[in-house]
Amino acid sequence: MPYVICAPCISTKDCSCVDVCPVDAIHPTKEEAAFSEEKQLYIDPDMCIDCGACEPECPVEAIFEEEYVPDKWSNYIEINAKWFQPK
Ligand code: SF4
Ligand code: SF4
């Protein structure tokens, strides 16, 4: 089960999670052009190896393993995945 970034990341975007991800599954990073216009960061479900390293790093508890995403944020599972699909 991949991890998912939910609503608390919006406007926080401090990138603590990006620094610990061993497979660079979290985007956009500060080096990417899309960073400034995106409200939040997203986890690529196909890249994520479910290591859990990012979850405790988030200062606003925005990251959950997919099966533990709170019901009120269940739409973020699709929101994360969609960001990585061809536009
Ligand atoms: S769970 Fe691990 S692999 Fe997945 S996004 Fe977080 S740090 Fe990266
Ligand atoms: S650590 Fe949390 S708030 Fe910061 S970018 Fe990652 S998910 Fe967003």
Side-chain angles (χ1 to χ4, degrees):
M1 286 272 178
Y3 280 65
V4 176
I5 298 179
C6 299
C9 180
I10 294 173
S11 303
T12 307
K13 283 173 51 181
D14 73 319
C15 293
S16 302
C17 54
V18 173
D19 295 339
V20 300
C21 181
V23 293
D24 294 333
I26 307 174
H27 297 273
T29 65
K30 285 177 181 165
E31 287 72 39
E32 292 173 73
F35 183 80
S36 59
E37 65 208 36
E38 281 299 333
K39 294 184 298 213
Q40 68 164 91
L41 272 62
Y42 309 91
I43 292 173
D44 185 337
D46 295 328
M47 289 283 296
C48 177
I49 57 170
D50 316 341
C51 73
C54 55
E55 185 180 358
E57 296 301 317
C58 182
V60 291
E61 297 184 20
I63 306 175
F64 298 86
E65 193 172 6
E66 187 176 307
E67 65 179 307
Y68 297 113
V69 169
D71 286 346
K72 62 182 175 184
W73 294 327
S74 59
N75 58 321
Y76 280 82
I77 296 170
E78 187 181 352
I79 289 171
N80 277 242
K82 260 194 159 171
W83 197 81
F84 295 94
Q85 291 166 2
K87 307 270 187 305

